[in-house]
Amino acid sequence: MLASTARAQTVPASPADTTLHKFQTPLGAARQPWYRGKLVRASIVPALLIGYGVSVYDDHGFYSSRRAQADLQRNFPTFSSHLDDYGQYAPYLELGAVLAFGVDGRNDRVNLALIVAKSELLMLGLVEITKRATHHLRPDGSDYRSFPSGHTSQAFLAASIVHTELRDKSQWYGVGAYAVATTVGAFRMLNNKHWESDVLAGAGYGILSAHLAYLSHRHRWGRHPADRPGVGLALPKPTKGEWQLSPTMLPGGGLGVCASWQAK
């Protein structure tokens, strides 16, 4: 004979996930016009930077790249620094230091690593394809890999990730990261390695790569559909209980064991 008793339990739905990214659209939300969509919003700033960079390519535009470079070389003819080679990764050092001191970002370590990996691969691919397609000569004449600036792309990519991860804690984290990224772009021009157009487009490529990585990171690693708001139903978790065994007399005079389970 098997006896089983259990009490009905009401399990509340999972709490809202406060680590949703700023470009994600909750499932079930009303559809918006395309120009108000997350992808458009995520692309506005990068598009402006890349577009303006293209507009001042070579001798074009209101203040062309060649004119800007001539002014810089006239005012800083002997400038030389390698800080831009290291500064492109400085925002990542800022992020690592902040996390090490116990400040939590928007994502856990695993999801943050995945976002960084996706954005880096995307940025490197976009920059390399564009460099090969444009085949543009650097200001110092060293090679034909000028447009866009890879150093600037890397710096603004890292700065955008810092801003997204820590902006809920303090906006100053992002301000500092973007200031470093802007300095890297300025140094690339002062070192006569890149034109104005290269730096502007590079900044746009970096920001765009980070935004697209966050936008595409909808199914976070290690989380089940029931743990995300708006995805499926919040099903009750299996109830834990305890088993009890006791001897019993069976019909006909035999001995048996009665198993009972009591839910906690």
Side-chain angles (χ1 to χ4, degrees):
M1 178 183 296
L2 177 64
S4 175
T5 60
R7 295 194 300 269
Q9 294 185 353
T10 302
V11 179
S14 300
D17 186 357
T18 58
T19 61
L20 285 176
H21 309 304
K22 61 181 179 179
F23 298 121
Q24 288 186 359
T25 303
L27 296 180
R31 294 183 63 85
Q32 296 180 337
W34 66 268
Y35 54 85
R36 297 182 61 185
K38 300 292 184 178
L39 179 59
V40 174
R41 290 168 54 190
S43 305
I44 291 177
V45 172
L48 290 175
L49 289 170
I50 297 173
Y52 188 75
V54 172
S55 72
V56 295
Y57 196 85
D58 281 341
D59 288 318
H60 303 289
F62 176 74
Y63 189 58
S64 69
S65 293
R66 294 191 180 276
R67 181 181 172 186
Q69 201 64 22
D71 290 342
L72 286 176
Q73 291 303 302
R74 182 172 59 253
N75 290 287
F76 306 95
T78 61
F79 185 90
S80 179
S81 175
H82 293 287
L83 288 178
D84 47 351
D85 293 329
Y86 309 106
Q88 60 180 323
Y89 303 109
Y92 281 150
L93 296 178
E94 176 192 359
L95 178 60
V98 171
L99 296 178
F101 277 98
V103 179
D104 293 329
R106 280 180 164 267
N107 290 279
D108 56 68
R109 303 299 189 266
V110 174
N111 284 283
L112 176 58
L114 290 173
I115 291 171
V116 170
K118 287 197 298 183
S119 58
E120 288 285 346
L121 289 174
L122 181 60
M123 181 272 294
L124 291 173
L126 290 174
V127 169
E128 183 63 25
I129 290 173
T130 307
K131 282 180 178 291
R132 291 177 178 271
T134 55
H135 198 64
H136 196 228
L137 184 66
R138 292 183 187 270
D140 63 355
S142 58
D143 59 43
Y144 287 86
R145 294 174 55 81
S146 185
F147 185 87
S149 169
H151 283 64
T152 309
S153 296
Q154 176 62 71
F156 273 88
L157 165 60
S160 186
I161 290 178
V162 170
H163 171 68
T164 304
E165 289 294 320
L166 301 176
R167 67 191 181 97
D168 291 337
K169 303 298 182 180
S170 174
Q171 293 287 345
W172 288 106
Y173 293 121
V175 170
Y178 280 122
V180 172
T182 302
T183 302
V184 169
F187 272 43
R188 296 307 285 168
M189 296 177 63
L190 289 169
N191 281 325
N192 205 30
K193 287 294 185 180
H194 281 289
W195 308 96
E196 174 192 12
S197 59
D198 306 340
V199 170
L200 290 170
Y205 273 43
I207 297 174
L208 178 63
S209 299
H211 286 186
L212 291 179
Y214 276 102
L215 186 64
S216 63
H217 199 65
R218 304 182 68 86
H219 302 289
R220 299 172 57 224
W221 183 267
R223 294 185 59 84
H224 301 288
D227 296 328
R228 295 192 296 268
V231 181
L233 299 176
L235 299 177
K237 297 180 180 180
T239 304
K240 295 182 179 179
E242 59 182 11
W243 288 93
Q244 293 183 351
L245 300 177
S246 59
T248 185
M249 182 69 70
L250 296 177
L255 293 177
V257 176
C258 177
S260 64
W261 178 77
Q262 176 65 42
K264 292 183 178 180

